[in-house]
Amino acid sequence: MTSKDVVFRVKDLTKVYEMGEVKVHALRGVDLYLYEGELVVMLGPSGSGKSTLLNILGGLDTASSGTVKYRGRALSKATEQELTEYRRFHVGFVFQFYNLIPSLTARENVAVVTEISKRPMKPEDALALVGLGERLDHFPAQLSGGEQQRVAIARAVSKNPEVLLCDEPTGALDFSTGIVVLEVLERINRELGTTTAVITHNADIAGMADRVVHLSNGLISGININTVKKPPSELRW
Amino acid sequence: MKALDRKLLRDLWKMKGQAAAIALVIVSGVSAFIMLISTMTSLNLTRDKFYREYGFADVFASLKRAPDGLKHRIREIPGVRDVETRVVAGVKLDISGFEEPVTARLVSVPDKGSAHINRLYIRRGRTVDAFRDDEAVLSEAFAEAHGFVPGDRLGAVINGRWKTLTIVGIALSPEFVMQARPGAISPDYKRYAILWMGRDALGTAYGMKGAFNDAVVSLEDGADSGRVTAELDRLLDRYGGLQAYTRKDQISNRFLSEEFRQLQRSAEIFPTIFIAVAAFLLNVVINRTVSTQREQIAALKAFGYSNAAVGIHYIKLVFLIVLIGSAGGIAAGVYLGRGLGRIYMEFYRFPYLLYELKPSVAALAVFVTFAAALAGTLRSVQKAAGLPPAEAMRPEPPALYRKTLIDRLGLGRFLSQPGLMIIRNIERRPVNSLLSITGIALSYAIMLGGTFFTDAFDFMIDTEFKRSRKEDMTVVFTDPTSGRAVYELMGLNGIEYAEPFRSVPVRLKSGHKSYRTTIQGIAPGNRLYLPLDTDFKPIKLPPDGIVLTDYLGEILGVKAGDTLTVEALEGTRPVREVAVARLASQYIGVTGYMDLTALNRMMREGGAISGAYLTVDELHQKEIYRSLVEMSRVSGTVVRKDEIKNFYATQAEVLLFFTFIASLLAGTIAFGVVYNSARIALSERSRELASLRVLGYTRLEISYILLGELAVFTLAAIPLGFVIGRALCAYIARSLSSDLFRVPVVVAPATYSLAAAVVVVSAWFRA
């Protein structure tokens, strides 16, 4: 792979939270490259710093030190407004607890994003992509957990983002529903070529990734490259 | 519609109860404002139009008698545009079927052409025929009260001669918009009338052919009214001129101006309280909404919504509630304004009411409400806008509790665990708790401020008409008369006691301050008329010196022991330095009191009297009325009981209206504050309370925790409300004080209880 294909360049990244009088070192100097079109699984136990890393990559949080470059642009030096623009036009998020707006239907939850994007899909198409073309007008409370997460994925991909960041997307789901969600993510990565990062503490999910980044205690403890990717349907946990 | 706006509408629908409670408070504030201001501007507009179109005079002067030729001299005074000379007199009327004494003011209208000044608005019939001396035009309020129509007749004693007059027209005049007998504090349409007759007829009757005893003047634009009145006074001095005065002191106009002042003041006080409460409630609700929507806010930001977009989203929510409240408030305000206008039209006799709500007033109400709401919610909106998305993703940290003052004092062990929860929760957020208490207290204060008039008026009437005065009726003579006239009265069948009095129009001066009033000469050993001291004990009048109404003392800047100059405006018009003996407490009007003998001495007259106070045998009352009507030197009779009865009759509707509005308004505040507190407490603590249910607490015990907090708020609010309410009453009373009347700050225990009951009931009804 050439350097042209690098989407994220992370160098010596640290993040320190101050919780009252205690300092928590969430990241202690992380170096990482993410490449165009790959599906990366970041694996680690709770407190390993993976969510913090994802939030910084997504422009939701800022680093204490070090640099993060997205396609050559330094996110670590971006202003609030630049970060908002970055999130608006480049990144799609999927959260563990879906974060849907309960007062909006599936279609409207997607529209919240497409309305502010440059080249969005139609909300109906995005929902069809995740297999929810028939449940457009249901409110979150009328959908199952897996369906809600698929709405969240539709919402994240509807803007045609260049990167899709998923924070424990199956964390709140049972096994079979989780597999359905992972299949959707895999298909989007494959069909749309969206660079995708999935963080999880579930090691079994790692099988579907191009690369697996292991995090522990705020540091990268290793990176594996899967020569053979498993389809999600073959994953077991 | 944008998806985010759809969210807004659905969020609003979900919180409809709370939003409605807040909107209701806004409706109250805006409607009170619109009602008061629109009534004021409408009356103002109506008054100005009526004054302009019917040539309301700028300067007024009455005198003893002057030749008509003087009219030209008056017209030559620089600044005078026009002048009209008139004959004005007080008369007794005899209304068949109405056995109580009725007096009237008789005013001449010019024989040639129509009047230029104080023109009549003829509602029915026509004006008088110049060559008839038995025709009269009657004031509308009086005609309505007795059901008179053109063609009816009534008896009048004109300068001692009995006369039957035919009513040819019913009219209104800019001069008598408020038709109250001089000295009265409310109009009495049944017992006081205005009659207009031809100049020639009246001149003949009163020996004023080619002469006049009253002048009304209109001024050029920009004329100096002070110089005109001074010049007029100088001109009329040798003709027995009483001090000329301008519109500002014209009684009907005075009452109107006072009313406007009162409306303006109320429009400033009451709506401000509501808007402040609404802003506070919005703050609480929006703050809570932002807290519960943390994760949604985080998601929106993660997808690239800017801080501003999120902030605007919540501002829109505030705006929507304000909009709903303001729209309702404007509609209700217009409705109530028209109602209040109609009530005022009973008091103030205009030919029509031009109701007007200026768009700028409505816009101002909306703008102020929105600005206040924005100020109130700014912090919460900023919190939403500034929420770092990564942080918002995590649930809100648990609320920080500490040991409270009660714990530290070691009193905690006397409380049950739920009791502790209540106390700690209140102490945890002292500002919000205090604001909730203040909100409920304000509703109590509004209730007091709106209803204390009833008590104040009761006290005022009790003091003025019961403690200070004991007579059954007052008889006034046409001119100062010999003291022997009392014996004539005493000779009438059924009169038990007669106490003479002398009433002298004067100008009181102290330094550069001066005030025109009357000095009341009280007979030694007075039993029926008792000026009261500041402890409401009868004052024994000193043999020398003058006793002044306390408010008059304030106006003139004098106190007991000071000296002031008295210029009598009657008889030989002596000017004397008189010592102020003491101050008297009085709520209605302002007067000076002197011992009758001392006053006669000052006037260099023998034992002259102006009238007498009488006590009568009730059995002979009607007979006495008749005799008094027939006595030529008696110009009028006033019955004390009728005065009281009339006061309540005329005030009742207004008081009822204000009590009703105040209860409604106070109710909405109490409701709004308590309802919102309850909803917020429930939403904040639903998990905690659910956990307690799991632990085996009953529904009742859970309610105790939730409602206990509200009960503490409501109970704490009452003493605070008492203090604020009392201050509000004092402020209102103070701002309404004028030389016409002063409102005492008296709140009866029953009113306090009623107000508390309204608040507690609204609170608990809601909870």
Side-chain angles (χ1 to χ4, degrees):
Chain A
M1 288 189 201
T2 65
S3 65
K4 196 181 147 207
D5 297 322
V6 175
V7 179
F8 286 107
R9 226 179 267 264
V10 178
K11 212 162 161 20
D12 203 18
L13 192 70
T14 70
K15 177 71 185 180
V16 182
Y17 291 110
E18 308 217 350
M19 305 277 276
E21 288 160 15
V22 194
K23 284 191 176 176
V24 177
H25 292 264
L27 296 174
R28 299 162 181 274
V30 168
D31 294 300
L32 181 68
Y33 283 20
L34 291 186
Y35 300 98
E36 179 114 35
E38 70 170 342
L39 196 160
V40 174
V41 167
M42 299 186 191
L43 203 57
S46 308
S48 59
K50 55 188 191 309
S51 284
T52 307
L53 180 57
L54 196 77
N55 284 344
I56 294 173
L57 290 179
L60 290 178
D61 209 345
T62 50
S64 302
S65 71
T67 55
V68 180
K69 283 189 177 169
Y70 167 74
R71 294 194 186 280
R73 281 192 282 160
L75 292 181
S76 35
K77 286 182 186 147
T79 62
E80 178 70 40
Q81 199 185 343
E82 286 165 342
L83 283 180
T84 301
E85 292 244 319
Y86 165 66
R87 295 197 298 264
R88 181 181 287 219
F89 301 121
H90 301 278
V91 191
F93 277 101
V94 177
F95 307 107
Q96 181 177 2
F97 296 106
Y98 336 129
N99 287 46
L100 295 179
I101 291 167
S103 53
L104 296 181
T105 62
R107 190 208 309 259
E108 290 161 352
N109 260 292
V110 178
V112 161
V113 169
T114 58
E115 278 169 2
I116 59 166
S117 308
K118 274 180 185 157
R119 294 178 310 278
M121 300 179 199
K122 280 164 73 180
E124 294 78 5
D125 296 344
L127 285 161
L129 200 63
V130 298
L132 286 176
E134 307 297 313
R135 317 214 64 180
L136 297 174
D137 295 318
H138 287 66
F139 284 93
Q142 297 167 321
L143 298 170
S144 71
E147 286 170 327
Q148 288 186 51
Q149 191 59 298
R150 277 145 67 198
V151 173
I153 293 169
R155 181 173 67 172
V157 299
S158 64
K159 67 165 79 160
N160 283 314
E162 282 155 271
V163 288
L164 187 58
L165 304 177
C166 312
D167 187 353
E168 300 270 11
T170 59
L173 302 174
D174 62 45
F175 170 73
S176 55
T177 319
I179 293 298
V180 174
V181 166
L182 291 176
E183 278 176 334
V184 171
L185 288 176
E186 189 270 338
R187 191 152 58 86
I188 284 162
N189 174 252
R190 185 162 38 84
E191 291 178 3
L192 306 178
T194 313
T195 307
T196 306
V198 176
I199 64 171
T200 180
H201 62 271
N202 185 346
D204 300 297
I205 292 175
M208 66 182 280
D210 292 308
R211 285 197 299 152
V212 183
V213 177
H214 295 271
L215 279 134
S216 81
N217 206 17
L219 286 168
I220 294 181
S221 53
I223 298 178
N224 301 342
I225 298 174
N226 285 337
T227 44
V228 183
K229 284 163 63 176
K230 278 192 198 169
S233 58
E234 288 176 19
L235 299 175
R236 288 289 177 276
W237 66 83
Chain B
M1 191 191 293
K2 288 265 172 95
L4 213 51
D5 293 333
R6 234 173 266 249
K7 163 183 182 299
L8 190 78
L9 292 182
R10 296 201 185 122
D11 285 349
L12 188 63
W13 182 247
K14 189 149 179 263
M15 56 159 87
K16 54 187 178 294
Q18 281 166 283
I22 297 172
L24 215 57
V25 174
I26 297 174
V27 166
S28 301
V30 171
S31 66
F33 182 75
I34 297 285
M35 171 185 83
L36 295 165
I37 293 287
S38 72
T39 303
M40 190 184 77
T41 49
S42 302
L43 286 174
N44 224 323
L45 190 77
T46 306
R47 178 190 68 174
D48 289 349
K49 185 170 149 71
F50 188 39
Y51 279 6
R52 196 173 52 247
E53 289 182 352
Y54 288 84
F56 186 45
D58 294 302
V59 175
F60 307 78
S62 37
L63 53 144
K64 190 90 186 147
R65 185 180 200 279
D68 250 348
L70 200 67
K71 184 175 176 177
H72 304 292
R73 306 254 318 263
I74 296 174
R75 189 171 280 136
E76 281 161 16
I77 295 173
V80 169
R81 183 201 307 255
D82 205 352
V83 58
E84 215 147 87
T85 58
R86 316 188 291 185
V87 175
V88 174
V91 291
K92 291 172 284 186
L93 298 185
D94 187 35
I95 311 295
S96 63
F98 188 72
E99 301 287 351
E100 296 165 26
V102 178
T103 56
R105 192 167 170 81
L106 202 48
V107 181
S108 71
V109 289
D111 290 332
K112 288 190 291 288
S114 68
H116 295 116
I117 304 176
N118 296 344
R119 267 194 303 281
L120 297 185
Y121 173 93
I122 303 282
R123 178 83 83 185
R124 303 176 68 178
R126 58 172 173 83
T127 188
V128 290
D129 186 328
F131 304 101
R132 299 289 296 266
D133 65 353
D134 59 351
E135 288 187 356
V137 170
L138 189 60
S139 56
E140 187 188 55
F142 184 79
E144 274 177 10
H146 289 279
F148 282 124
V149 291
D152 287 347
R153 286 150 178 266
L154 50 79
V157 183
I158 298 176
N159 203 14
R161 269 182 292 268
W162 182 271
K163 187 128 191 118
T164 299
L165 298 174
T166 303
I167 299 163
V168 295
I170 308 290
L172 298 158
S173 159
E175 196 179 356
F176 302 105
V177 170
M178 162 86 176
Q179 266 171 51
R181 199 170 39 74
I185 51 162
S186 63
D188 186 342
Y189 304 136
K190 273 191 139 41
R191 300 171 196 88
Y192 184 70
I194 311 293
L195 275 175
W196 290 273
M197 284 180 73
R199 169 73 187 270
D200 191 60
L202 269 187
T204 309
Y206 283 93
M208 291 271 178
K209 261 189 122 50
F212 66 96
N213 67 359
D214 190 88
V216 281
V217 172
S218 65
L219 298 179
E220 306 273 5
D221 294 334
D224 177 353
S225 60
R227 282 186 53 187
V228 173
T229 49
E231 195 60 23
L232 200 56
D233 283 341
R234 202 183 54 77
L235 214 55
L236 298 178
D237 191 53
R238 54 185 286 238
Y239 300 103
L242 298 173
Q243 197 178 12
Y245 54 95
T246 58
R247 278 186 186 185
K248 184 168 72 59
D249 293 314
Q250 201 264 349
I251 194 74
S252 158
N253 189 54
R254 270 295 308 269
F255 268 100
L256 266 176
S257 309
E258 288 298 325
E259 200 70 61
F260 293 159
R261 203 161 64 94
Q262 179 178 346
L263 285 169
Q264 173 85 46
R265 205 51 70 90
S266 308
E268 285 160 9
I269 302 171
F270 291 101
T272 310
I273 295 177
F274 284 95
I275 302 308
V277 170
F280 158 65
L281 292 180
L282 277 169
N283 168 40
V284 172
V285 168
I286 297 298
N287 195 20
R288 184 62 204 154
T289 306
V290 168
S291 293
T292 54
Q293 297 190 353
R294 272 170 76 90
E295 282 117 20
Q296 298 178 40
I297 294 169
L300 289 175
K301 288 195 169 176
F303 291 119
Y305 278 87
S306 64
N307 292 355
V310 171
I312 287 169
H313 176 65
Y314 289 98
I315 288 177
K316 277 186 186 168
L317 185 62
V318 172
F319 189 62
L320 220 55
I321 297 174
V322 169
L323 211 62
I324 293 168
S326 305
I330 290 171
V334 167
Y335 178 76
L336 292 173
R338 286 179 188 276
L340 187 60
R342 270 194 296 276
I343 291 177
Y344 274 118
M345 287 291 277
E346 290 285 307
F347 279 88
Y348 301 110
R349 292 297 176 139
F350 290 111
Y352 38 73
L353 177 65
L354 303 171
Y355 184 80
E356 188 200 49
L357 171 61
K358 286 191 185 129
S360 61
V361 171
L364 178 71
V366 176
F367 175 77
V368 169
T369 312
F370 186 57
L374 206 56
T377 51
L378 203 59
R379 214 169 47 91
S380 307
V381 170
Q382 270 175 343
K383 183 174 119 183
L387 207 58
E391 192 180 308
M393 214 69 76
R394 294 184 283 274
E396 217 170 345
L400 186 66
Y401 284 87
R402 269 173 309 172
K403 294 238 166 186
T404 64
L405 185 65
I406 289 186
D407 293 314
R408 289 194 293 275
L409 291 175
L411 300 172
R413 63 201 145 98
F414 298 112
L415 288 168
S416 63
Q417 291 309 314
L420 272 179
M421 287 172 70
I422 292 171
I423 297 297
R424 287 198 189 144
N425 204 46
I426 292 172
E427 262 207 46
R428 180 170 69 87
R429 276 187 311 202
V431 175
N432 261 21
S433 301
L434 201 65
L435 286 175
S436 292
I437 292 171
T438 310
I440 302 173
L442 282 174
S443 86
Y444 183 72
I446 285 189
M447 191 66 205
L448 282 188
T451 50
F452 93 104
F453 283 103
T454 314
D455 299 332
F457 284 154
D458 280 346
F459 187 81
M460 191 159 136
I461 292 302
D462 185 67
T463 309
E464 291 289 314
F465 289 100
K466 293 177 184 165
R467 284 205 240 183
S468 178
R469 288 170 52 183
K470 310 282 183 194
E471 89 285 0
D472 291 323
M473 57 181 86
T474 305
V475 167
V476 181
F477 298 135
T478 48
D479 290 298
T481 309
S482 153
R484 283 191 298 278
V486 171
Y487 302 112
E488 193 184 341
L489 288 173
M490 291 285 275
L492 295 177
N493 199 16
I495 292 195
E496 292 168 346
Y497 179 71
E499 180 175 299
F501 68 85
R502 176 80 173 96
S503 184
V504 179
V506 293
R507 181 159 39 202
L508 302 178
K509 280 184 173 174
S510 169
H512 61 280
K513 292 173 181 154
S514 95
Y515 190 84
R516 186 185 173 287
T517 180
T518 53
I519 294 180
Q520 194 82 350
I522 311 273
N526 52 325
R527 280 155 50 183
L528 302 182
Y529 197 107
L530 311 161
L532 302 176
D533 67 13
T534 41
D535 295 325
F536 305 107
K537 298 267 181 328
I539 290 175
K540 189 178 169 359
L541 284 160
D544 292 301
I546 188 167
V547 173
L548 294 182
T549 305
D550 43 10
Y551 197 78
L552 183 53
E554 263 179 57
I555 294 174
L556 294 170
V558 296
K559 52 187 191 310
D562 292 348
T563 303
L564 50 79
T565 308
V566 177
E567 289 179 28
L569 300 172
E570 203 180 78
T572 58
R573 315 191 122 205
V575 179
R576 290 276 183 281
E577 297 290 310
V578 179
V580 177
R582 61 192 299 181
L583 298 178
S585 163
Q586 189 177 332
Y587 294 121
I588 301 172
V590 293
T591 330
Y593 297 101
M594 283 177 81
D595 175 79
L596 179 58
T597 326
L599 183 60
N600 285 150
R601 197 164 56 236
M602 187 189 87
M603 294 297 291
R604 288 190 226 114
E605 58 192 13
I609 61 172
S610 308
Y613 303 113
L614 309 176
T615 54
V616 302
D617 179 349
E618 209 153 326
L619 289 175
H620 294 88
Q621 201 149 342
K622 284 182 184 165
E623 194 184 318
I624 293 167
Y625 291 158
R626 180 116 311 268
S627 312
L628 290 173
V629 167
E630 284 162 7
M631 274 174 81
S632 62
R633 66 158 52 115
V634 171
S635 80
T637 308
V638 179
V639 178
R640 186 168 58 101
K641 270 189 193 140
D642 294 345
E643 277 187 276
I644 300 174
K645 197 166 67 188
N646 174 63
F647 177 82
Y648 282 113
T650 48
Q651 296 295 330
E653 201 182 353
V654 178
L655 287 177
L656 207 64
F657 183 80
F658 277 109
T659 305
F660 171 70
I661 297 281
S663 312
L664 210 64
L665 299 188
T668 53
I669 287 200
F671 174 92
V673 172
V674 172
Y675 179 73
N676 271 299
S677 302
R679 287 305 299 251
I680 298 287
L682 192 63
S683 111
E684 278 181 347
R685 304 168 68 190
S686 53
R687 280 189 73 82
E688 172 183 338
L689 299 176
S691 311
L692 288 174
R693 285 278 289 156
V694 173
L695 294 178
Y697 276 75
T698 65
R699 218 171 263 283
L700 199 69
E701 285 160 337
I702 300 286
S703 309
Y704 166 71
I705 297 176
L706 208 53
L707 299 183
E709 191 175 311
L710 297 174
V712 171
F713 284 169
T714 309
L715 293 180
I718 287 185
L720 181 64
F722 177 93
V723 173
I724 301 176
R726 189 78 200 187
L728 184 65
C729 294
Y731 179 76
I732 294 172
R734 182 76 213 163
S735 66
L736 296 185
S737 288
S738 73
D739 46 353
L740 294 178
F741 63 88
R742 274 79 55 199
V743 180
V745 186
V746 176
V747 186
T751 305
Y752 285 126
S753 319
L754 172 72
V758 167
V759 172
V760 171
V761 167
S762 331
W764 281 97
F765 172 66
R766 198 38 262 160

